Amino acid sequence: MRVISRTALRNFWQKHPDAEQPLRTWYADVKHSTWKKPSDIKISYRSASFLRNNRVVFNIKGNNYRIVVVVQYKHGVVYIRFVGTHAEYDRIDASTI
């Protein structure tokens, strides 16, 4: 998968250094994946949540952090829409962000 944009991850881990390694691992895993449908994601990420508008929520570092992405399966692209703490996630509407 092509991940757009890694900068969002980097900006986040600069503020939250304990998130750097889990975010790097997530990025590498996604980059080397080929997801054609939601069930492909569930194989590797059992706790991933699927929302409307092709949004997927990933729990990072024991659910301390969350990533919300839009997946375009047909084109093999993952757009990062949000990276934040669990508390920050609770204040957004993940299906529209």
Side-chain angles (χ1 to χ4, degrees):
M1 303 298 289
R2 202 168 100 212
V3 181
I4 312 284
S5 147
R6 186 174 181 195
T7 302
L9 300 177
R10 189 176 306 118
N11 290 342
F12 186 78
W13 76 53
Q14 287 175 349
K15 294 177 188 172
H16 302 274
D18 64 322
E20 181 175 0
Q21 192 54 51
L23 289 173
R24 284 183 181 273
T25 299
W26 177 87
Y27 177 83
D29 288 347
V30 173
K31 187 176 176 182
H32 292 100
S33 296
T34 306
W35 298 332
K36 299 294 183 190
K37 56 192 177 297
S39 61
D40 295 339
I41 295 172
K42 276 293 193 181
I43 292 169
S44 300
Y45 293 95
R46 306 296 285 159
S47 65
S49 299
F50 298 88
L51 308 175
R52 66 177 187 245
N53 299 325
N54 289 328
R55 301 309 199 263
V56 183
V57 180
F58 294 92
N59 297 320
I60 303 296
K61 195 179 179 283
N63 205 18
N64 289 331
Y65 305 113
R66 293 213 170 158
I67 300 173
V68 178
V69 302
V70 174
V71 180
Q72 295 296 323
Y73 298 98
K74 180 178 178 182
H75 302 291
V77 179
V78 174
Y79 297 94
I80 297 173
R81 303 296 295 148
F82 171 85
V83 183
T85 65
H86 193 124
E88 291 168 336
Y89 173 83
D90 288 342
R91 293 191 299 264
I92 66 165
D93 181 354
S95 65
T96 62
I97 194 165

